[in-house]
Amino acid sequence: MINAAVEQGTIDRHVYGHFAEHLGSCIYGGIWVGEDSEIPNVRGIRKDVVAALRAIRIPNLRWPGGCFADEYHWEDGIGPREKRPTMINTHWGGVTENNHFGTHEFMDLCAQLGCEPYICGNVGSGTVREMQQWVEYIASDSISPMTNLRKENGREEPWSLKFWGVGNENWCCGGCMRPEYYADEFRRYQTYVRNFGDNEIYKIACGPNEADYEWTETLMKNTLSFQKDQHLMKGLSLHYYTNYRQSATEFDESAWFEVLQKTLVMDELITRHSAIMDKYDPEKKVALIIDEWGTWYNAEPDTNPRFLYQQNSLRDALVAALNFHIFHEHNERVRMTNIAQTINVLQAMILTEDEKMVLTPTYHVFEMFKVHQGATRISLNLESNDYTFGESSMPQVSASASRDSEGKVHLTLSNTNPSDSADISCDLLGLEVSSVSGRVLTAEQMTAHNTFEKPDQVRPVDFEGARLDGSNLSIVMPAMSVVVLELV
Ligand code: AHR
């Protein structure tokens, strides 16, 4: 049943956020090709990729890492490119980083995309001063050494800067810190992440890995302001990957089931971390920000395993849909997420090879689900059969409903069962609707995926399986599918 009269808060558009790290060919090749490239570009940034990401209304982009962030020294990435020093990207294949894509290029990318920048500062190997000066360089309009330096480098106006991460995975690649130690470091670093003019920064503390509840407890307990009246951060991050170190495209039903089952763990993680946060922040002022999520398989054969380049199948589309439905359920606390990663790395939206580009099944889910961005979640109660495999089961159908600013209601659904269709009957309360239309993403094979040679193996097509009968909506979803419906 959909009960449109029961509103359940906003689905923050930032739940549909992205993450691009200096890793493999995410930045270099995937986004940045340089101004002299024959690949069509605007100031060195690929046109095709920008157009594709604008089409899914990318709301924000996290950069420069990831583990890379805590090794990155921003001053190396400004000024004339030919004079920028190089560094070794020790985490990701030991390759030489030429720093050609730095702060100006990233801010230009965000402007071209029309999205908010989310920069992750370096706590692990950086200094407080370095972080302080980076924020000043970007956001200050006062007369100051950093403002002058920015102007010398060609940017007169400060940029608007909203999201700022104080370190990444500081429990591991960001410095192997204990939560008590990081909490103190967070307190110190964040003090100097200043608001310049009316630019107010939304500070995000490094949160737990998966089920590390002690980290959340310690952080929430130890990050109150001096007056003890508020937390020093607006967001606490959580990282959870659907980790399954096997092939991305060669698998059977047991691997299909296991990957989807591991994805559903996200719900328990959010529930339990949120419960801890509730103890210290009952008004839910601090958001839980899942700024790394997605599938992590073996890298494609014959590629550098440290470049984390993997294909993306219909199974990944289901993973994305399940995750979004979980995020929507927790919209009171989960106000931003970032899939890892946008291009050519892990559960990517887009794969590129020189001038070629292909959109993955995951991209299509982002495109279909964009109707939920900023919409009001409305009550939805669906009873579903289980999908059983061997001794284990999971719900066959997951779904979300929302109403957008024009009053249109959207319903998204996923059917996890690779063999059986799902018959759904849904009563519509508090809704006057006269038509239903929709699209479906599915394929003949669970391993179906898009390649440069066959880019449209998995793509949304018109859906004919929904019928309105008075105030009842009946839906017949094909096996292993994702559906979006619009009710007007
Ligand atoms: O997304 C790849 C890596 O996974 C990130 O750099 C790191 O934060 C996480 O461990």
Side-chain angles (χ1 to χ4, degrees):
M1 179 177 78
I2 290 182
N3 189 346
V6 180
E7 299 191 339
Q8 297 174 313
T10 302
I11 297 171
D12 199 309
R13 70 188 179 102
H14 289 293
V15 164
Y16 286 83
H18 288 254
F19 170 36
E21 181 167 10
H22 287 238
L23 194 179
S25 52
C26 183
I27 298 288
Y28 297 106
I31 291 171
W32 176 258
V33 287
E35 287 159 344
D36 299 331
S37 172
E38 287 182 359
I39 299 173
N41 68 83
V42 175
R43 294 182 293 280
I45 294 167
R46 285 182 82 122
K47 278 186 176 178
D48 52 355
V49 162
V50 167
L53 293 174
R54 284 184 73 93
I56 56 173
R57 295 191 205 137
I58 177 173
N60 69 72
L61 183 60
R62 180 172 182 252
W63 172 84
C67 294
F68 181 79
D70 282 272
E71 285 204 306
Y72 180 63
H73 300 284
W74 70 274
E75 308 92 318
D76 296 346
I78 55 170
R81 284 190 204 106
E82 65 286 359
K83 290 198 180 144
R84 296 184 191 175
T86 59
M87 67 177 280
I88 299 173
N89 191 338
T90 47
H91 273 291
W92 304 121
V95 293
T96 301
E97 159 69 54
N98 65 14
N99 275 307
H100 280 195
F101 190 88
T103 302
H104 290 250
E105 291 78 12
F106 174 65
M107 297 309 267
D108 188 17
L109 169 65
C110 290
Q112 292 187 34
L113 292 172
C115 79
E116 297 278 359
Y118 169 14
I119 294 183
C120 186
N122 179 347
V123 170
S125 72
T127 63
V128 172
R129 181 178 188 186
E130 199 178 332
M131 192 180 288
Q132 177 189 29
Q133 291 187 329
W134 197 4
V135 175
E136 183 182 319
Y137 184 89
I138 294 172
S140 164
D141 201 20
S142 312
I143 297 170
S144 83
M146 288 304 111
T147 314
N148 293 345
L149 186 57
R150 185 190 70 232
K151 290 182 179 179
E152 277 166 31
N153 288 329
R155 172 79 189 191
E156 196 64 25
E157 299 297 317
W159 287 282
S160 149
L161 173 66
K162 185 164 181 191
F163 300 112
W164 189 271
V166 181
N168 168 73
E169 296 195 352
N170 301 94
W171 29 262
C172 183
C173 65
C176 285
M177 300 175 193
R178 294 171 306 113
E180 295 79 7
Y181 182 79
Y182 173 74
D184 282 344
E185 286 293 81
F186 170 76
R187 298 181 69 88
R188 191 164 73 105
Y189 274 75
Q190 70 79 33
T191 307
Y192 305 95
V193 174
R194 305 284 193 199
N195 292 330
F196 291 97
D198 54 9
N199 186 81
E200 198 178 326
I201 294 194
Y202 186 108
K203 296 172 195 172
I204 299 168
C206 164
N209 183 34
E210 303 188 349
D212 185 352
Y213 300 113
E214 188 199 337
W215 185 280
T216 299
E217 183 90 43
T218 311
L219 261 285
M220 291 304 291
K221 197 191 294 179
N222 294 305
T223 51
L224 282 170
S225 64
F226 175 68
Q227 294 84 357
K228 303 216 178 325
D229 59 346
Q230 58 179 333
H231 279 89
L232 294 167
M233 71 279 215
K234 287 261 181 10
L236 182 70
S237 73
L238 164 67
H239 288 184
Y240 175 63
Y241 283 94
T242 301
N243 229 314
Y244 198 76
R245 304 296 169 100
Q246 296 193 23
S247 168
T249 51
E250 288 173 22
F251 56 85
D252 57 15
E253 189 174 348
S254 82
W256 167 275
F257 187 91
E258 227 179 301
V259 163
L260 300 187
Q261 198 176 41
K262 276 172 181 262
T263 299
L264 293 172
V265 172
M266 181 69 91
D267 186 44
E268 181 188 337
L269 294 174
I270 296 175
T271 303
R272 294 188 59 186
H273 285 294
S274 298
I276 297 168
M277 294 173 82
D278 284 349
K279 281 201 296 181
Y280 301 95
D281 173 36
E283 292 175 40
K284 301 192 193 310
K285 289 185 176 160
V286 181
L288 185 60
I289 292 183
I290 298 135
D291 58 13
E292 290 189 26
W293 65 271
T295 50
W296 193 318
Y297 306 122
N298 282 346
E300 289 302 303
D302 304 324
T303 64
N304 185 330
R306 295 302 288 166
F307 286 4
L308 312 185
Y309 176 82
Q310 66 189 38
Q311 249 294 356
N312 196 293
S313 73
L314 181 62
R315 181 174 63 177
D316 296 85
L318 267 295
V319 168
L322 290 177
N323 271 311
F324 281 131
H325 290 153
I326 294 169
F327 299 152
H328 298 166
E329 283 288 313
H330 293 277
N331 61 336
E332 283 199 322
R333 193 57 96 174
V334 176
R335 301 201 277 273
M336 172 157 155
T337 88
N338 304 79
I339 191 167
Q341 298 193 6
T342 310
I343 300 164
N344 294 332
V345 170
L346 298 176
Q347 192 178 345
M349 310 302 103
I350 295 173
L351 302 176
T352 65
E353 192 182 85
D354 302 323
E355 79 292 351
K356 287 178 273 183
M357 175 184 94
V358 68
L359 306 176
T360 65
T362 299
Y363 175 94
H364 292 304
V365 172
F366 273 68
E367 191 277 320
M368 292 164 77
F369 280 41
K370 70 183 178 194
V371 289
H372 288 308
Q373 287 192 25
T376 302
R377 182 160 82 96
I378 54 178
S379 168
L380 171 68
N381 195 351
L382 276 189
E383 278 171 24
S384 140
N385 291 336
D386 274 350
Y387 157 39
T388 301
F389 181 76
E391 303 287 295
S392 307
S393 298
M394 69 174 77
Q396 184 180 0
V397 175
S398 89
S400 284
S402 71
R403 179 169 38 220
D404 69 13
S405 55
E406 293 170 17
K408 289 182 194 151
V409 168
H410 295 101
L411 177 62
T412 51
L413 305 113
S414 64
N415 177 4
T416 52
N417 193 316
S419 321
D420 284 341
S421 61
D423 291 357
I424 298 155
S425 168
C426 181
D427 288 329
L428 306 174
L429 286 191
L431 271 181
E432 294 273 320
V433 289
S434 54
S435 74
V436 57
S437 59
R439 288 182 297 152
V440 59
L441 188 73
T442 187
E444 292 292 310
Q445 308 286 331
M446 61 175 96
T447 55
H449 55 279
N450 297 332
T451 62
F452 298 107
E453 295 71 36
K454 292 185 174 173
D456 287 328
Q457 297 294 101
V458 188
R459 69 184 171 91
V461 294
D462 287 347
F463 180 58
E464 307 296 343
R467 297 267 173 282
L468 263 180
D469 183 6
S471 61
N472 184 268
L473 174 67
S474 62
I475 309 160
V476 182
M477 289 186 75
M480 48 182 181
S481 65
V482 179
V483 165
V484 58
L485 297 177
E486 183 167 283
L487 303 168
V488 286

